[in-house]
């Protein structure tokens, strides 16, 4: 009989269901019923769920408008989590405005970043855990951004491998103007309701979208957009572009094409690759209309079609080649055709010019500002910058750009250390002795195609 205890065992409180089991149950329901709308999800967010969300939330991020750090929140963690849960269940929870800061994007432009309060980050993480369990099985394989088990390097490797299989093609670069600032709330809510009809979850998302932005002491309330920097923003962006681009391309466009084609997308960065030029031009013609239907605008100059077919062996008049393929950028890398060591045509990737320049500018800015700090502290920060740069840009074939970056860091550090006093340049012998004591990390190709081919599971 249900609820009866076994003989010889004392009845006790029911066992607490692990968070992982709850997530698996949601994912299994989503997999079995692709058209199912979930009407009851908020009950999953209990005190244990919030504890897990707290554990998954970054603790080293900048503080929001309330100035509260993760350390301060943790001083009374159980009390704060209990109070938060009570406000969520009773409907009295209020989202705080995000604090907007601007980070350099290019030489003259900046990227606005919204910083929520730590409590808002924690609750967004709790809701994100629910949404990821539902949508992870809905999202297509062409999407790589902000998904568990997927990365930018996987997107780059997939793009390279499939282009090599096709021996190149026509590459359509897609650039959405201010995507996170122009994301239409009405369309987003309609997309959410197809899978999530729980009123508590939908109201929480609505509160974050309408919380407002604090900038220069003034709070504004944009009618569109989802601030970059919010924990919930990436999954909302993926959901939006899943319908606008991924599903449309895979289910509507590809079956009507004459040649092969594929899509690789990382958040709002995307490229579409076509075997035939006529297919590419047809899609390029309808793409602005498709995005415009959802309130988005494609950048007229940065959305472009590139002839990326493999170079021909046959030379033109006077030994010149009759055609040379173009180049395109994705995720900070410029893609181009080049020769391998064996003389074969291969697709190579190197650090994009704008990303290289930005990295050098950041190093120069740091060396200038920190030139009077202790050498050990400068060495620690510069070593971290170099290791981080190599960890992302360390692809096979990019050794020249990696070496150039290391060379720039080397000389930039020397120049600004030479300005610590009025004695002029730092003597060479002293500089070499300093480097022996504080060596900079060597150039390292982290993501080698040779190691990946030897270890296919990596």
């Amino acid at each position: 009989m249900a609820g009866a205890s076994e003989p010889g065992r004392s009845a006790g409180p029911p066992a607490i269901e692990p968070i992982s089991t709850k997530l698996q149950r949601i994912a299994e329901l989503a997999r079995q019923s692709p058209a199912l709308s979930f009407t009851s999800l908020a009950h999953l967010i209990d005190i244990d769920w919030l504890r897990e969300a707290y554990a998954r939330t970054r603790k080293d991020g900048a503080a929001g408008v309330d100035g509260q750090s993760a350390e301060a929140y943790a001083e009374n963690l159980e009390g704060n989590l209990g109070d938060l849960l009570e406000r969520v269940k009773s409907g009295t929870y209020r989202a705080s405005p995000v604090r907007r800061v601007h980070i350099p994007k290019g030489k003259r432009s900046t990227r606005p970043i919204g910083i929520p309060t730590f409590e808002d980050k924690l609750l967004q993480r709790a809701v994100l855990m629910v949404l990821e369990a539902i949508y992870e099985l809905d999202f297509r394989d062409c999407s790589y951004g902000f998904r568990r088990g997927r990365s930018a390097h996987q997107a780059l490797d997939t793009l390279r491998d499939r282009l090599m299989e096709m021996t190149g093609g026509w590459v359509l670069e897609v650039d959405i103007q201010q995507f996170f600032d122009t994301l239409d709330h009405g369309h987003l809510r309609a997309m959410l309701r197809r899978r999530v009809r729980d009123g508590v979850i939908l109201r929480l998302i609505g509160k974050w979208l309408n919380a407002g932005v604090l900038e220069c002491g003034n709070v504004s309330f944009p009618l569109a957009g989802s601030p970059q920097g919010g924990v919930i923003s990436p999954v909302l962006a993926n959901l939006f572009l899943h319908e606008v681009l991924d599903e449309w391309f895979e289910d509507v466009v590809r079956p009507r094409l004459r040649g092969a084609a594929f899509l690789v997308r990382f958040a709002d960065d995307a490229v579409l690759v076509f075997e035939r030029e006529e297919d590419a031009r047809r899609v390029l013609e309808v793409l602005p209309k498709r995005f415009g239907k959802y309130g988005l605008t494609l950048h007229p100059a940065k959305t472009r079609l590139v002839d990326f077919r493999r170079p021909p062996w046959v030379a033109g008049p006077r030994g010149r080649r009759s055609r040379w393929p173009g180049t395109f950028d994705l995720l900070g890398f410029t893609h181009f055709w080049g020769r391998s060591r064996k003389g074969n045509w291969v697709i190579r990737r190197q650090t994009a010019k704008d990303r290289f320049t930005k990295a050098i500018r950041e190093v120069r800015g740091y060396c200038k500002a920190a030139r009077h700090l202790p050498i050990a502290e400068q060495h620690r920060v510069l070593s971290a910058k170099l290791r981080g740069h190599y960890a992302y840009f360390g692809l096979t074939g990019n050794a020249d750009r990696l070496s150039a970056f290391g060379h720039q860091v080397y000389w930039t550090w020397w120049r600004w250390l030479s300005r610590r006093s009025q004695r002029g340049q730092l003597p060479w012998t002293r500089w070499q002795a300093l480097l022996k004591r504080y060596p900079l990390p060597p150039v390292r190709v982290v993501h080698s195609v040779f190691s990946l081919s030897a270890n296919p599971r990596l």
Side-chain angles (χ1 to χ4, degrees):
M1 185 173 64
S5 59
E6 296 182 17
R9 290 190 182 181
S10 59
I16 298 175
E17 187 178 17
I19 302 299
S20 59
T21 304
K22 294 180 181 180
L23 292 173
Q24 291 173 3
R25 187 151 46 86
I26 298 172
E28 184 61 23
L29 284 172
R31 186 189 67 81
Q32 293 177 353
S33 306
L36 175 66
S37 295
F38 289 81
T39 58
S40 179
L41 293 168
H43 70 280
L44 297 170
I45 302 178
D46 54 17
I47 195 68
D48 294 313
W49 195 279
L50 289 181
R51 288 195 192 101
E52 178 65 21
Y54 170 80
R56 297 187 185 189
T57 303
R58 285 185 55 181
K59 313 300 189 297
D60 58 349
V65 295
D66 61 354
Q68 187 178 46
S69 64
E71 293 78 10
Y73 195 87
E75 291 176 359
N76 183 26
L77 181 60
E78 290 301 314
N80 288 329
L81 293 181
D83 177 65
L84 175 60
L85 182 61
E86 176 61 29
R87 283 182 282 132
V88 171
K89 298 298 184 182
S90 64
T92 59
Y93 164 79
R94 294 290 180 267
S96 301
V98 298
R99 181 170 66 89
R100 173 168 287 177
V101 297
H102 292 266
I103 61 174
K105 182 180 179 181
K107 196 169 183 179
R108 295 183 178 86
S109 62
T110 60
R111 183 190 302 275
I113 299 295
I115 303 175
T117 64
F118 182 78
E119 184 175 74
D120 287 347
K121 292 178 186 177
L122 191 157
L123 187 54
Q124 288 184 25
R125 177 67 61 183
V127 174
L128 175 64
M129 289 160 56
V130 177
L131 297 182
E132 280 184 337
I134 297 172
Y135 288 112
E136 185 57 34
L137 295 171
D138 291 350
F139 292 155
R140 302 300 177 96
D141 289 340
C142 60
S143 170
Y144 290 86
F146 305 105
R147 295 178 61 187
R148 287 188 176 274
R150 291 179 165 241
S151 68
H153 292 103
Q154 289 179 336
L156 292 166
D157 290 342
T158 299
L159 176 62
R160 178 186 181 277
D161 293 345
R162 297 196 64 178
L163 271 170
M164 288 292 293
E165 291 173 3
M166 291 174 59
T167 64
W170 294 83
V171 176
L172 178 55
E173 287 186 88
V174 179
D175 187 278
I176 308 172
Q177 288 194 119
Q178 299 179 323
F179 169 71
F180 283 92
D181 294 332
T182 59
L183 192 149
D184 185 88
H185 291 176
H187 286 297
L188 178 61
R189 291 190 184 96
M191 295 173 186
L192 276 167
R193 289 193 186 100
R194 294 191 183 100
R195 275 299 229 171
V196 178
R197 291 181 178 248
D198 185 291
V200 174
I201 299 295
L202 293 176
R203 282 193 294 273
L204 286 174
I205 295 173
K207 288 178 180 181
W208 293 322
L209 291 175
N210 299 316
V213 176
L214 177 65
E215 186 174 14
C216 299
N218 297 317
V219 178
S220 59
F221 297 91
L223 300 178
S226 179
Q228 287 181 270
V231 176
I232 203 71
S233 294
V235 72
L236 297 181
N238 273 337
L239 170 61
F240 202 90
L241 290 176
H242 167 72
E243 179 169 326
V244 175
L245 182 58
D246 301 354
E247 278 192 332
W248 172 73
F249 181 77
E250 296 290 345
D251 299 341
V252 179
V253 174
R254 278 186 59 190
R256 302 180 182 181
L257 301 179
R258 298 182 62 186
F262 68 91
L263 162 68
V264 173
R265 181 176 66 81
F266 190 95
D268 60 330
D269 292 322
V271 292
L272 291 80
V273 181
F274 302 87
E275 181 184 19
R276 303 173 69 99
E277 180 182 5
E278 59 265 35
D279 289 339
R281 295 199 178 278
R282 285 171 56 200
V283 174
L284 177 59
E285 183 179 351
V286 300
L287 204 60
K289 301 175 184 176
R290 173 66 182 179
F291 279 81
K293 177 182 176 181
Y294 294 88
L296 300 175
T297 305
L298 295 181
H299 196 291
K302 296 181 180 180
T303 299
R304 64 192 187 103
L305 186 61
V306 178
D307 181 355
F308 200 71
R309 291 172 293 173
R310 187 176 64 186
W313 279 98
V314 180
R318 301 180 182 179
R320 297 178 182 176
R321 298 191 180 278
S322 57
R323 175 184 57 80
W324 194 259
T327 65
F328 68 93
D329 290 353
L330 180 69
L331 298 175
F333 289 91
T334 297
H335 297 67
F336 62 98
W337 283 98
R339 295 284 194 181
S340 69
R341 292 181 180 179
K342 295 182 179 179
N344 300 321
W345 287 110
V346 296
I347 296 172
R348 301 183 61 184
R349 287 89 47 97
Q350 68 178 17
T351 310
K353 184 178 179 180
D354 59 338
R355 295 291 291 271
F356 184 86
T357 303
K358 178 184 176 182
I360 294 299
R361 190 183 303 119
E362 289 177 353
V363 169
R364 289 173 179 168
Y366 172 78
C367 289
K368 178 180 179 180
R371 63 186 183 275
H372 295 300
L373 294 178
I375 300 296
E377 173 63 16
Q378 295 186 47
H379 173 260
R380 183 188 67 79
V381 174
L382 290 175
S383 296
K385 289 182 180 292
L386 280 167
R387 284 192 292 266
H389 189 88
Y390 298 153
Y392 184 78
F393 291 102
L395 296 184
T396 299
N398 195 31
D400 289 345
R401 284 292 175 97
L402 297 178
S403 298
F405 181 74
H407 181 79
Q408 288 286 340
V409 173
Y410 176 94
W411 287 111
T412 300
W413 195 21
W414 173 76
R415 290 191 189 100
W416 284 105
L417 286 179
S418 297
R419 301 187 184 187
R420 284 164 67 101
S421 68
Q422 302 297 323
R423 299 178 182 177
Q425 293 181 349
L426 183 67
W428 186 255
T429 55
R430 187 180 173 190
W431 171 236
Q432 293 303 308
L434 186 147
L435 285 178
K436 287 183 179 179
R437 184 175 180 183
Y438 300 103
L440 292 172
V443 172
R444 183 187 174 202
V445 176
V446 178
H447 308 279
S448 170
V449 296
F450 305 108
S451 63
L452 287 175
S453 60
N455 301 278
R457 292 185 179 182
L458 293 180

